[in-house]
């Protein structure tokens, strides 16, 4: 039990959610609920390269498909990098280089 009452009983989830939201607003973070911490944690894990199946296990999803459905949009950069790697390996093409700034003479 993470957030027991003063008497050691389970907290009402709605009570905790409202308290958390008030504290977040008071801290200047805006309107947050505890469930958003879950999404933020999952997003950070994926951004750091944690494999999707590991994130799925941490979140307790019954299937990796659930995790992919919810967070798959965050993997777009991975798909792009994989496509570029395959192109380089098969066609010998290097990824496009951003053009230099016209004023950059160095």
């Amino acid at each position: 039990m993470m957030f027991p009452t003063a008497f050691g009983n389970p907290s009402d989830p709605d009570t905790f959610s409202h308290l958390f939201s008030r504290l977040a607003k008071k801290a200047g973070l805006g309107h947050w609920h505890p469930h958003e911490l879950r999404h933020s944690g999952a997003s950070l894990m994926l951004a750091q390269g944690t494999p999707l199946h590991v994130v799925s296990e941490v979140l307790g999803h019954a299937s990796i498909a659930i995790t992919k459905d919810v967070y798959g949009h965050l993997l777009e950069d991975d798909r792009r990098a994989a496509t570029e790697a395959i192109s380089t390996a098969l066609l010998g093409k290097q990824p496009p280089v951003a053009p230099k700034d016209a004023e950059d003479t160095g």
Side-chain angles (χ1 to χ4, degrees):
M1 195 173 351
M2 292 182 64
F3 304 105
T5 65
F7 300 107
N9 299 323
S11 293
D12 178 351
D14 288 335
T15 301
F16 176 74
S17 182
H18 292 299
L19 173 63
F20 182 85
S21 184
R22 279 197 313 266
L23 290 172
K25 284 180 188 175
K26 191 173 184 177
L29 299 175
H31 187 72
W32 275 70
H33 286 282
H35 194 76
E36 291 167 315
L37 293 176
R38 177 180 172 89
H39 288 295
S40 296
S43 298
L44 288 170
M45 283 188 279
L46 291 168
Q48 293 298 314
T50 305
L52 190 62
H53 74 278
V54 174
V55 175
S56 183
E57 289 175 18
V58 169
L59 295 175
H61 288 162
S63 159
I64 193 171
I66 295 168
T67 313
K68 186 175 181 248
D69 287 347
V70 176
Y71 299 101
H73 67 282
L74 299 175
L75 303 173
E76 180 62 34
D77 287 340
D78 289 344
R79 285 191 290 268
R80 188 173 295 118
T83 301
E84 289 176 0
I86 290 171
S87 293
T88 299
L90 296 176
L91 305 173
K93 294 182 179 179
Q94 297 298 318
V97 177
K100 288 190 172 196
D101 187 50
E103 294 179 318
D104 182 12
T105 59

